[in-house]
Amino acid sequence: MNIELIKGDFTPSEALDILTRLVAVKIKFHERKIEKSDSEEDIKMRERRIRQLQQSMHDARQAILSAKTNCRLASDVVIR
């Protein structure tokens, strides 16, 4: 099954809003998992993932803000 989550052209501010909210949800997911975890290995993996998401968001923000035109975003969720 495939869910087309995002598809279209957006202004830079719209694109940033969408991406920021999506990344925030994913970070919150990992934070909740960390709170419930007793495994140090799991906690470290999730902390690394949060840092990766934050860095990716930073890089995306820079790219979007440097663009002078609308941004095309596309994201699918594939369920197997």
Side-chain angles (χ1 to χ4, degrees):
M1 179 178 179
N2 189 44
I3 300 171
E4 191 176 86
L5 194 60
I6 304 169
K7 182 180 179 184
D9 293 328
F10 302 91
T11 66
S13 64
E14 291 170 333
L16 277 175
D17 185 42
I18 291 168
L19 290 175
T20 300
R21 290 172 188 263
L22 286 171
V23 170
V25 167
K26 186 63 178 186
I27 288 172
K28 270 292 190 207
F29 170 81
H30 284 295
E31 289 172 343
R32 283 192 306 273
K33 290 289 196 173
I34 288 170
E35 290 173 3
K36 296 177 182 177
S37 180
D38 293 330
S39 166
E40 189 171 331
E41 184 178 318
D42 182 56
I43 291 170
K44 287 183 180 193
M45 180 275 300
R46 291 184 186 284
E47 288 173 341
R48 274 193 308 275
R49 184 64 183 129
I50 289 170
R51 286 191 299 275
Q52 289 172 343
L53 287 165
Q54 290 169 332
Q55 183 61 51
S56 294
M57 188 62 225
H58 173 77
D59 295 344
R61 179 177 285 113
Q62 298 288 50
I64 290 169
L65 291 177
S66 68
K68 302 297 182 203
T69 61
N70 282 356
C71 302
R72 178 165 290 161
L73 299 180
S75 176
D76 290 344
V77 175
V78 179
I79 301 169
R80 296 182 188 173

